[in-house]
Amino acid sequence: MTETIISLHLKEEIKKGYRTLSKDLIDEIDRKINESDGAIMFLSPDYLNSKSCIKEMKRFIELHNKNGFLLLPLVLKVCLWQEYDDLKSILSLTTDAAPLSKFKTIEEGLANVVSNIRKSIENHRSLIAHGSVGASHSGQRRFYPSCF
């Protein structure tokens, strides 16, 4: 039996993009982030050029530093993510922080990402067991997929 370790919070409006954010949608995004145990950030030039994504990234880093929020950056395309000092210390989901676009095949890149997600979650579980970070609200890890 496979254990479900990640559930994603995502609404259709969020998938459509951040070009027309209503107050209700902003509140919904904030609520989902606050209910989450971590986030997967999909880093690309578009992400780093988006004011709303940068705001979101700063919130994730704040939560990460404050209470052990599990932050999992995934570099999709070559971008200048390392210019953000707060991100330098957080390990990327690909080996050596290689952009997903640089793998020989998408399958190779995704296998690398899945392996590193598993390692990150197991490490996070270990920290929870030792009391280094807070436990999940429901026992199941809930992740917020960041915009890209």
Side-chain angles (χ1 to χ4, degrees):
M1 183 167 96
T2 303
E3 176 187 6
T4 302
I5 57 174
I6 298 176
S7 65
L8 299 177
H9 293 300
L10 187 61
K11 290 184 65 175
E12 284 301 314
E13 299 93 318
I14 295 171
K15 288 195 284 187
K16 292 176 186 172
Y18 281 75
R19 288 175 179 47
T20 56
L21 285 179
S22 68
K23 171 83 168 98
D24 289 342
L25 182 56
I26 291 169
D27 291 345
E28 176 73 6
I29 291 168
D30 287 342
R31 187 177 68 73
K32 293 294 186 184
I33 290 171
N34 290 332
E35 290 176 354
S36 298
D37 300 297
I40 299 174
M41 285 191 316
F42 298 94
L43 301 175
S44 69
D46 291 335
Y47 184 95
L48 297 176
N49 286 318
S50 166
K51 289 179 185 177
S52 60
C53 289
I54 295 299
K55 180 181 174 188
E56 194 175 73
M57 178 179 70
K58 289 178 180 179
R59 175 80 171 122
F60 294 151
I61 291 169
E62 174 190 327
L63 289 168
H64 174 76
N65 292 335
K66 185 177 175 181
N67 63 9
F69 186 81
L70 184 57
L71 188 52
L72 303 171
L74 172 56
V75 183
L76 295 177
K77 297 179 182 177
V78 175
C79 58
L80 301 176
W81 69 273
Q82 292 159 321
E83 289 187 359
Y84 293 85
D85 290 335
D86 292 329
L87 283 181
K88 286 181 186 177
S89 64
I90 301 170
L91 296 177
S92 171
L93 282 175
T94 55
T95 303
D96 298 325
L100 194 56
S101 62
K102 292 292 185 180
F103 282 84
K104 291 178 187 173
T105 66
I106 191 70
E107 291 83 4
E108 178 186 355
L110 291 175
N112 185 267
V113 168
V114 169
S115 174
N116 287 324
I117 288 173
R118 285 183 178 151
K119 289 176 190 174
S120 295
I121 290 173
E122 288 306 314
N123 182 50
H124 196 64
R125 282 182 172 169
S126 176
L127 292 173
I128 290 170
H130 291 93
S132 300
V133 297
S136 171
H137 308 288
S138 66
Q140 180 183 32
R141 307 310 316 163
R142 293 177 295 193
F143 285 81
Y144 180 84
S146 182
C147 65
F148 53 96

